[in-house]
Amino acid sequence: MNESYKNNQSCEKDERVIRYNMEKCASFMAKMILKYGKEVLEEINAENEKMNVSVSEEKN
């Protein structure tokens, strides 16, 4: 086997592993968003409301 062929096979294997890991990560992120997304969004909105109130209080 020539060296170029071996490198190409190794590169293809690395790409498959990378793609698999990315898909696994995306799947995990999607599950976490489905599970906790509403709570996190509510917390963000609450923080934004607090910031808006404190900013408007400073203006007065």
Side-chain angles (χ1 to χ4, degrees):
M1 268 187 210
N2 85 31
E3 193 67 30
S4 176
Y5 181 75
K6 288 181 184 178
N7 289 339
N8 191 32
Q9 279 187 323
S10 176
C11 188
E12 288 174 2
K13 182 180 177 189
D14 290 346
E15 288 177 4
R16 284 194 304 264
V17 170
I18 290 168
R19 192 175 312 114
Y20 172 78
N21 287 336
M22 288 176 62
E23 289 174 5
K24 194 172 173 182
C25 178
S27 176
F28 172 78
M29 293 297 293
K31 288 176 186 175
M32 292 300 101
I33 290 169
L34 289 172
K35 186 172 184 177
Y36 299 109
K38 186 176 179 181
E39 293 173 40
V40 172
L41 186 58
E42 289 171 355
E43 287 180 27
I44 292 170
N45 287 335
E47 286 296 317
N48 285 342
E49 287 176 11
K50 286 180 188 177
M51 288 174 51
N52 287 339
V53 169
S54 63
V55 169
S56 64
E57 288 175 356
E58 291 175 9
K59 289 181 181 178
N60 293 331

